[in-house]
Amino acid sequence: MQSPQRIARELALLSISQLPASPNKLATQQLSQMVTAAIRTLATEIQDTLETASSELKKGNDRLLNSEVRAVDVNSARIMVEDAIKMTQIAINRLGVAVELPEFIQLTNQPEVRSYTMQLISTVQQNRQPIDELLTEVLLNWQLSRITRIDRDILRMAVAEMQYMGQSSAVAINEAVELAKRYSDDEGKRFINGVLRRVSDRLKSDQDIPETLASS
């Protein structure tokens, strides 16, 4: 059975984009509203991902049909089809989550789930700017705005747990990777793992600075 905190992380991930950023408004949210927001997000993500995959597949197919078997056209079409397959796999993963929704909804009724969900969402919302600044610092040749919304929210939640909620880096990173397994793809999972390890190293380095100064 999943722990309340793990269920809370999943609920927070799926509902955070549709809940109010204002702390006062956020505090008034009922559990049913968060679950509704989570279901709406999941349905939208599945639909958008499948539509994008279908579009990429069609473009790849058209390029193959219209090309004169030039290597550059064939290679471009192959990349489009590969991207479509990746996105379809993501959609299939999320459909698998959707099948589990009845059990998920039942598990969210635990008071500990709502409490940790609210704490996690409010921590992310209240500290969005410094969290994003930290992530931007450790991203290598990449922009935070270019990361998919789901992956970006997974990163923000993990940083919030590490930096503001007293969670160990090992646990926060492991839980983020588990979320990525369900809502992202293998590339996203590896990317999230790498970014969060750099965040962990940066936070440890910042904590060591006062001790170094004190001994000098």
Side-chain angles (χ1 to χ4, degrees), residues 127-137 144 152 156:
N127 300 282
R128 175 71 64 86
Q129 184 174 342
I131 288 174
D132 284 0
E133 288 175 354
L134 177 56
L135 286 169
T136 299
E137 287 176 12
L144 190 61
R152 192 164 60 236
R156 285 170 172 161

Side-chain angles (χ1 to χ4, degrees), residues 63-127:
R63 181 156 297 187
L64 279 174
L65 293 175
N66 296 329
S67 72
E68 298 176 356
V69 199
R70 292 183 302 173
V72 63
D73 289 332
V74 173
N75 187 57
S76 177
R78 178 181 60 80
I79 292 172
M80 288 179 178
V81 172
E82 287 177 352
D83 287 344
I85 292 172
K86 288 180 182 178
M87 285 181 281
T88 302
Q89 184 59 57
I90 293 173
I92 290 171
N93 290 345
R94 292 173 184 171
L95 282 169
V97 175
V99 171
E100 300 169 5
L101 277 176
E103 180 183 6
F104 177 71
I105 292 171
Q106 184 179 7
L107 292 172
T108 58
N109 286 324
Q110 302 174 62
E112 301 95 326
V113 170
R114 184 187 188 282
S115 175
Y116 200 77
T117 300
M118 295 300 294
Q119 183 184 359
L120 185 51
I121 292 175
S122 61
T123 301
V124 171
Q125 302 288 39
Q126 291 170 18
N127 300 282

Side-chain angles (χ1 to χ4, degrees), residues 171-207:
V171 171
I173 294 172
N174 180 67
E175 291 299 321
V177 169
E178 288 299 316
L179 283 172
K181 287 179 182 178
R182 288 171 66 80
Y183 294 100
S184 188
D185 56 12
D186 286 341
E187 184 177 339
K189 180 184 68 177
R190 289 192 296 270
F191 177 76
I192 286 170
N193 183 58
V195 171
L196 291 178
R197 291 193 180 281
R198 291 196 293 274
V199 168
S200 176
D201 291 342
R202 175 65 60 87
L203 293 176
K204 289 176 182 177
S205 175
D206 290 345
Q207 289 172 358

